[in-house]
Amino acid sequence: MKGVISIDLGASSGRVMVGYFDKGKIQLEEFHRFDNRQVMRGRESCWDLYSVLDEIKVGIAKVLASDFEIHSLGIDSWGVDFVLLDKSGQPLGEFVSYRDKRTQGTQQKIEQDNALSKQDIYKMSGIQFLTFNTINQLKAITDMHSDWLDRVDKLLFIPDFLNYKLCGVKHCEYTNASTSQLLDCKGKEWSKILINACGAKFSWFIPPAMPNQIIGQYSLNGVDIPVCSVASHDTASAVAATPIFDSETAFLCSGTWSLIGIESEQPITNQLAFDANLTNEGGVDGRYRLLKNIMGLWLIQRVKAEHPSLTFSDISSLASQELPFRFLINPNDDHFLNPESMTKAIKQWFLRRDLPAPETFSQVIRCIYDSLALAYDDALTQIANVTSRDINALRIVGGGTQDHFLNQLCADVCQISVFTEPTEASALGNVINQFIALDMISCLEEGRRIIESSSEIRLFKPQKIEGLEAIKSRYLSLK
């Protein structure tokens, strides 16, 4: 059968899958799955990208040993992280992760050293302020004055670097580049002002190119596979696979991170959007993903890691038995970014504020669930206010679609109809992006309709919560 290889990399795992048509529906078949864990290099939290690359090659080899006729491959991953190369194409420094602590305080330094206000930066980039944005990572690097800094020739984002290692072509894909806070969001070009502000050099940056184009080929055992630069930011691919057909439907990419927002033809960088810290990330066809970045299921994953015998269904079951909305946190607090113990970090969050803290494991879990649902509602309210849109439906995609307790809680708190599926949104978006590049389908809308007809959509109808407005007010007071 004819297919394409979808390489979908997340912060905790990676998959090599094949996407193909079967009786008018898109199907996925997984060939290889592997862990993607951060490793400590000295005091820095890093990615083991060479291990990831080896695992990708193992997966491709498994696919080529099958009966599939492969037409291309594409890679999507998380955003903001990058690799610096010298003129010979060799990496400089470590593959430091966005969860590393080196960026603490860099945002303030950028503003002070360049007489730039946060409003100035937001007006240019349209990107929300997060401690780990590429602009802050580069500021941290340039302030260190490493002895290799003068040898930097090019910057490649993670999927661009992996594509380079496969096909030898240095390329910059737009959707991943858009997460950096270094692009002019309206012109979709690198901003010299923002690049200079973080101490980087404009010559390091390759002009960003729109996704869904063949850039080179990977050769293995006499077989040449075209390498497709897809919408390489995993959220961009996930949104591409989300069946959105009207302006009143929002999306929620529910995974390690929760990305909740809408599609827009234009970036929105007005004062309301700035005050809400909304982000305008790049999407397929030059569209924008106006969204809010929320810490997401990372909190659940980290708590679960402290109790490895429990399954995710065990955890949601424990939460469902607890008294709701007793304990609430701001899930986006930086203390939850990468603590040694998430349980301890959550309890300390309350203690620092002289608030009663959850004592039992199930209370901690319930606190996370309730706080996430309230964060979703707050984000949707902000987006509706900024855009003057009436949002009456939410499409949840990604691994979080399997958490029925959270999805129902989201419907109840947001008082909105919630539709779930597809679960493998990033991988499917990767696939349809390749199909578009190969002229196997005509456009994004056609791909979305095929994905919707290929999915088992589930509806969660909102149920009444007593005292909901008071609960929301309590949550907002914690921000």
Side-chain angles (χ1 to χ4, degrees):
M1 291 186 291
K2 297 179 180 179
V4 298
I5 298 176
S6 172
I7 301 164
D8 179 34
L9 304 177
S12 58
S13 67
R15 292 90 50 78
V16 179
M17 311 176 83
V18 171
Y20 61 98
F21 280 118
D22 183 21
K23 298 178 181 178
K25 295 185 177 182
I26 292 181
Q27 305 289 348
L28 284 174
E29 183 174 335
E30 183 179 300
F31 278 79
H32 189 53
R33 180 182 289 264
F34 54 92
D35 290 336
N36 180 25
R37 293 192 177 96
Q38 294 173 61
V39 294
M40 295 304 297
R41 307 289 192 201
R43 295 184 178 181
E44 294 178 319
S45 182
C46 303
W47 301 111
D48 189 352
L49 291 186
Y50 286 123
S51 175
V52 170
L53 181 63
D54 288 342
E55 295 287 0
I56 288 172
K57 291 179 178 179
V58 168
I60 295 172
K62 288 180 179 180
V63 173
L64 293 184
S66 72
D67 294 330
F68 280 101
E69 178 186 336
I70 297 301
H71 287 246
S72 64
L73 65 84
I75 300 175
D76 67 82
S77 83
W78 62 95
V80 305
D81 284 347
F82 55 89
V83 177
L84 297 171
L85 303 178
D86 65 16
K87 288 185 178 181
S88 64
Q90 295 302 308
L92 296 166
E94 299 288 352
F95 304 132
V96 182
S97 161
Y98 64 85
R99 292 196 186 276
D100 187 76
K101 296 179 180 179
R102 65 180 176 171
T103 56
Q104 292 181 352
T106 53
Q107 178 65 53
Q108 292 77 12
K109 290 181 181 178
I110 289 172
E111 295 169 34
Q112 294 166 4
D113 294 352
N114 299 276
L116 284 173
S117 69
K118 293 184 76 170
Q119 286 92 338
D120 293 332
I121 296 171
Y122 187 78
K123 201 73 176 177
M124 286 183 275
S125 70
I127 296 299
Q128 72 182 121
F129 292 89
L130 296 168
T131 57
F132 49 74
N133 284 343
T134 309
I135 189 173
N136 295 329
Q137 294 197 47
L138 284 171
K139 177 62 173 172
I141 288 173
T142 56
D143 279 358
M144 290 176 191
H145 303 291
S146 298
D147 56 6
W148 47 259
L149 195 61
D150 289 340
R151 292 189 282 127
V152 175
D153 180 61
K154 288 291 179 282
L155 178 150
L156 297 181
F157 293 94
I158 298 300
D160 296 325
F161 171 71
L162 295 170
N163 281 339
Y164 168 62
K165 298 303 289 185
L166 291 178
C167 72
V169 175
K170 297 174 186 175
H171 181 84
C172 178
E173 190 276 316
Y174 163 67
T175 67
N176 212 297
S178 75
T179 69
S180 66
Q181 208 170 36
L182 291 167
L183 278 185
D184 179 309
C185 65
K186 294 179 181 178
K188 300 182 175 68
E189 297 176 343
W190 296 115
S191 165
K192 291 184 178 179
I193 294 175
L194 295 175
I195 288 173
N196 289 337
C198 67
K201 294 182 179 179
F202 192 77
S203 61
W204 297 356
F205 295 84
I206 300 168
M210 285 295 152
N212 307 344
Q213 55 179 290
I214 304 299
I215 61 169
Q217 64 181 25
Y218 172 63
S219 300
L220 181 66
N221 298 329
V223 178
D224 295 331
I225 305 173
V227 174
C228 181
S229 177
V230 297
S232 65
H233 186 217
D234 51 8
T235 308
S237 272
V239 172
T242 304
I244 303 171
F245 302 110
D246 61 67
S247 62
E248 297 178 340
T249 300
F251 61 80
L252 169 57
C253 300
S254 182
T256 300
W257 289 92
S258 291
L259 298 310
I260 188 166
I262 59 167
E263 274 193 326
S264 174
E265 294 298 323
Q266 300 294 330
I268 300 176
T269 59
N270 57 30
Q271 188 63 39
L272 282 175
F274 170 78
D275 291 341
N277 201 22
L278 299 180
T279 198
N280 295 268
E281 295 176 351
V284 176
D285 294 339
R287 304 176 192 187
Y288 296 87
R289 296 171 284 126
L290 181 70
L291 59 85
K292 190 82 171 182
N293 198 328
I294 298 168
M295 198 80 74
L297 296 179
W298 166 253
L299 290 93
I300 299 289
Q301 293 165 357
R302 294 295 292 159
V303 171
K304 179 184 178 300
E306 299 173 45
H307 302 268
S309 63
L310 295 178
T311 65
F312 284 110
S313 60
D314 292 334
I315 288 175
S316 62
S317 177
L318 286 170
S320 68
Q321 298 169 40
E322 276 294 328
L323 184 67
F325 307 109
R326 182 180 175 188
F327 304 102
L328 300 176
I329 58 171
N330 173 10
N332 266 7
D333 191 288
D334 283 346
H335 287 90
F336 304 139
L337 189 60
N338 196 19
E340 292 184 9
S341 167
M342 185 64 75
T343 300
K344 185 177 180 180
I346 289 173
K347 291 182 177 180
Q348 288 177 338
W349 190 91
F350 287 90
L351 295 176
R352 283 194 299 272
R353 290 162 177 79
D354 294 323
L355 295 172
E359 297 179 358
T360 67
F361 173 70
S362 56
Q363 287 176 343
V364 170
I365 291 294
R366 182 72 204 213
C367 167
I368 294 173
Y369 274 108
D370 289 341
S371 302
L372 284 178
L374 287 160
Y376 299 158
D377 174 75
D378 181 36
L380 285 178
T381 300
Q382 292 173 342
I383 291 167
N385 290 338
V386 167
T387 60
S388 299
R389 291 193 191 185
D390 292 323
I391 299 174
N392 56 30
L394 181 66
R395 302 295 299 243
I396 299 181
V397 300
T401 60
Q402 300 171 87
D403 195 328
H404 297 166
F405 175 71
L406 179 58
N407 297 334
Q408 183 61 59
L409 187 62
C410 178
D412 297 345
V413 170
C414 299
Q415 284 295 291
I416 197 172
S417 295
V418 169
F419 300 85
T420 62
E421 287 292 313
T423 299
E424 298 288 358
S426 294
L428 282 169
N430 185 321
V431 168
I432 64 169
N433 286 324
Q434 293 186 65
F435 284 170
I436 292 170
L438 295 168
D439 292 325
M440 294 173 68
I441 61 175
S442 61
C443 62
L444 181 60
E445 277 65 35
E446 181 185 0
R448 283 175 167 170
R449 294 194 183 281
I450 295 170
I451 287 173
E452 183 172 46
S453 67
S454 305
S455 304
E456 295 182 8
I457 308 296
R458 180 164 181 164
L459 168 63
F460 294 85
K461 295 182 179 180
Q463 300 173 1
K464 186 177 181 181
I465 296 177
E466 293 293 337
L468 181 58
E469 291 307 313
I471 293 168
K472 291 181 180 180
S473 295
R474 273 181 55 214
Y475 171 76
L476 292 176
S477 70
L478 300 173
K479 294 175 60 182

